[in-house]
Amino acid sequence: MKKMMASLLKHYMNQDIAVFHTDEEGNSEVVAYVSVNKNLSTTKKLEEAFMKTNSISIAWWKNEEVTTTFAGNSCRSTSVGDVVVVDEKKYKCEPVGWKEL
């Protein structure tokens, strides 16, 4: 029962945001949905998505808050040029910060 309540609470308090990786030709595909606290500012949501889709001490796709959608066994970390969608708005990862598209 505790596990079910924790899952319901997590769903109630969080939202999933989409992370798209862009290749050299400009093609992009969704590689993950990241669960973030829906009460955070947009900037904080973007930063959490970036952090949770970067391999630091473990492969990023092993994070509990990440649902992967990429094909294969691994995927590069989110980087400059990639796009994150929050509340139906697109944001491009810049060398410093984010730019709304």
Side-chain angles (χ1 to χ4, degrees):
M1 186 68 158
K2 280 185 179 182
K3 191 173 183 178
M4 184 185 338
M5 289 300 290
S7 177
L8 288 170
L9 184 58
K10 181 180 175 184
H11 179 72
Y12 176 74
M13 296 298 297
N14 293 343
Q15 77 180 92
D16 289 339
I17 57 177
V19 178
F20 291 79
H21 284 181
T22 306
D23 65 19
E24 298 80 31
E25 290 83 39
N27 302 312
S28 62
E29 69 174 305
V30 64
V31 295
Y33 292 96
V34 180
S35 179
V36 297
N37 184 310
K38 64 176 149 187
N39 295 318
L40 295 175
S41 68
T42 299
T43 300
K44 293 284 187 186
K45 290 175 185 177
L46 292 166
E47 294 302 322
E48 276 210 28
F50 181 84
M51 181 186 68
K52 291 177 181 177
T53 56
N54 269 266
S55 297
I56 299 168
S57 57
I58 63 166
W60 67 261
W61 52 89
K62 294 183 179 181
N63 288 325
E64 286 185 25
E65 299 89 2
V66 174
T67 302
T68 60
T69 60
F70 62 83
N73 296 325
S74 64
C75 183
R76 68 171 175 78
S77 294
T78 299
S79 61
V80 172
D82 293 332
V83 173
V84 175
V85 178
V86 179
D87 299 323
E88 300 181 21
K89 293 181 182 175
K90 296 178 183 179
Y91 298 87
K92 182 179 178 184
C93 184
E94 296 287 318
V96 177
W98 300 86
K99 176 183 175 185
E100 186 175 350
L101 300 177

